[in-house]
Amino acid sequence: MESFFLQDSAIDKLPLKVTQKKEVDYKGDVFNFVQGVESVKIPNVKSISFKDVVNLLGSFPHTNELHWTLYKILSVASFCDRINYRVITPLGFGKDCIVNNLIALVGDTVNLYGATFAKLEYSLKYKNLIFNEMGNLKPEDKSNMQQFLLASGAYFNEYTKRSRKTEDTQEQYDISRTSIGILYNPPEYYIERGQEYFDVMFTKAVISRFIPFFFEGLIQVPQLTVSPKDVAESNMEDYKNVVSTLNYYKENYLNLENKYELPIEIGFNKGEERFERTFLTIAKYVAEYSEDEEEYKELIVSLFNCFRNYLNKIDNLRGEIKK
């Protein structure tokens, strides 16, 4: 294994490639003194359009292209901005596909399956927290998770963990930019198996903090007949363009404004103020994706319908249970 000595003046260029080095022997230790470097950092610039970014992410055929596009826009908004939301889909929709794309390309995202509360607190170093399948939480974890969801869902700027800081964790976290996404399957999946799901696990106060969207359809991933490495190398410019543009929007999120008015079909009721706040944030990214106001209206009304459809589904389930 080679050792390198890098001067402080080159720190800002990380990640970097060494272009010139000199072997040095100091007190019996041999290392490479770095004399020349070339930064390989991808700049945070708008290399391609927002629409192209969304279309390139998870660019697989889908049986419901409209819902697939909406989910991708929402996922990008979660990475770039701050939102609290739930996504409910049938098995095979492709929820993990986009989350894992973001993890691989730009990081700062974590996909937690059945996370313990201790694992959650360790993961607070990430900005984009995705909770997958929370139905198997232990009672003590569920209680702690509820307190965290109440704080983060209320858009608090700080979260103080329940225990003192350790070597790997802090005692207080800045969550002013932290997005929370909760992913699960339709309630029927859990009811059939006698399992809990998000809507019955937590109090109404928690439920009201995370706007739900019910998306339908199935992703259709083709069997690869070529090497993934070869595909990646031949499309490296696309990767770099997506990364630079995603980071550009993340860095400049405060400058993004919705250039269109909300259609009259969209309206939130009393008690849905937090739902509305998240929806309006996502709407900015829907507008950024849209070519014109006609496309914006189609997309944003469809997104609102995905929200209302899930509330209606839950109301119908409650009615059936009472019978």
Side-chain angles (χ1 to χ4, degrees), residues 110-123:
V110 62
N111 191 5
L112 298 169
Y113 265 90
T116 62
F117 193 71
K119 190 172 183 180
L120 159 66
E121 290 190 327
Y122 176 77
S123 299

Side-chain angles (χ1 to χ4, degrees), residues 7-251:
Q7 298 182 79
D8 290 345
S9 58
I11 296 296
D12 291 340
K13 295 183 179 181
L14 288 169
L16 53 78
K17 178 170 65 175
V18 175
T19 58
Q20 187 176 354
K21 63 184 180 180
K22 179 181 179 182
E23 191 173 277
V24 175
D25 185 346
Y26 179 73
K27 294 184 178 180
D29 292 327
V30 178
F31 60 90
N32 294 292
F33 182 79
V34 178
Q35 296 176 308
V37 298
E38 179 183 320
S39 178
V40 294
K41 183 187 296 184
I42 299 175
N44 299 345
V45 295
K46 189 177 178 181
S47 303
I48 55 177
S49 71
F50 186 81
K51 192 183 195 80
D52 285 340
V53 169
V54 172
N55 290 343
L56 283 168
L57 282 173
S59 56
F60 300 113
H62 203 278
T63 61
N64 193 325
E65 291 290 349
L66 175 59
H67 283 192
W68 184 233
T69 297
L70 289 172
Y71 174 61
K72 291 196 288 182
I73 295 172
L74 183 155
S75 298
V76 172
S78 181
F79 170 77
C80 297
D81 218 300
R82 186 185 187 186
I83 56 176
N84 297 312
Y85 64 97
R86 290 177 276 154
V87 166
I88 303 93
T89 76
L91 288 169
F93 176 83
K95 297 188 291 291
D96 284 335
C97 173
I98 304 305
V99 175
N100 291 335
N101 277 185
L102 291 172
I103 292 172
L105 289 169
V106 286
D108 213 9
T109 299
V110 62
N111 191 5
L112 298 169
Y113 265 90
T116 62
F117 193 71
K119 190 172 183 180
L120 159 66
E121 290 190 327
Y122 176 77
S123 299
L124 285 173
K125 59 185 178 181
Y126 299 99
K127 179 210 164 294
N128 193 21
L129 301 180
I130 308 297
F131 296 119
N132 245 307
E133 300 299 339
M134 298 174 69
N136 61 348
L137 285 174
K138 295 178 181 178
E140 61 270 22
D141 281 335
K142 189 189 301 183
S143 175
N144 289 322
M145 184 69 75
Q146 175 158 295
Q147 296 307 310
F148 171 76
L149 293 176
L150 283 170
S152 59
Y155 285 100
F156 288 175
N157 289 324
E158 291 184 341
Y159 168 71
T160 303
K161 66 192 292 281
R162 57 178 180 165
S163 56
R164 302 302 298 272
K165 68 178 180 179
T166 65
E167 185 177 339
D168 297 319
T169 65
Q170 303 172 37
E171 188 171 347
Q172 195 167 53
Y173 287 86
D174 177 1
I175 59 170
S176 60
R177 291 290 311 279
T178 303
S179 287
I180 308 290
I182 298 162
L183 313 183
Y184 54 106
N185 298 321
E188 300 93 317
Y189 285 50
Y190 307 97
I191 293 171
E192 290 171 0
R193 295 166 178 76
Q195 297 176 335
E196 286 188 313
Y197 54 98
F198 187 85
D199 304 74
V200 297
M201 287 175 62
F202 300 107
T203 63
K204 187 176 179 180
V206 171
I207 303 301
S208 68
R209 283 160 163 76
F210 297 85
I211 184 171
F213 297 102
F214 181 54
F215 297 131
E216 298 183 274
L218 300 172
I219 191 173
Q220 300 183 317
V221 182
Q223 292 292 327
L224 290 177
T225 57
V226 293
S227 164
K229 182 180 179 181
D230 291 341
V231 172
E233 289 178 349
S234 62
N235 292 279
M236 189 54 64
E237 282 307 306
D238 283 337
Y239 285 105
K240 290 180 180 178
N241 288 337
V242 169
V243 170
S244 65
T245 306
L246 279 171
N247 284 326
Y248 167 83
Y249 277 98
K250 180 182 178 183
E251 189 176 89

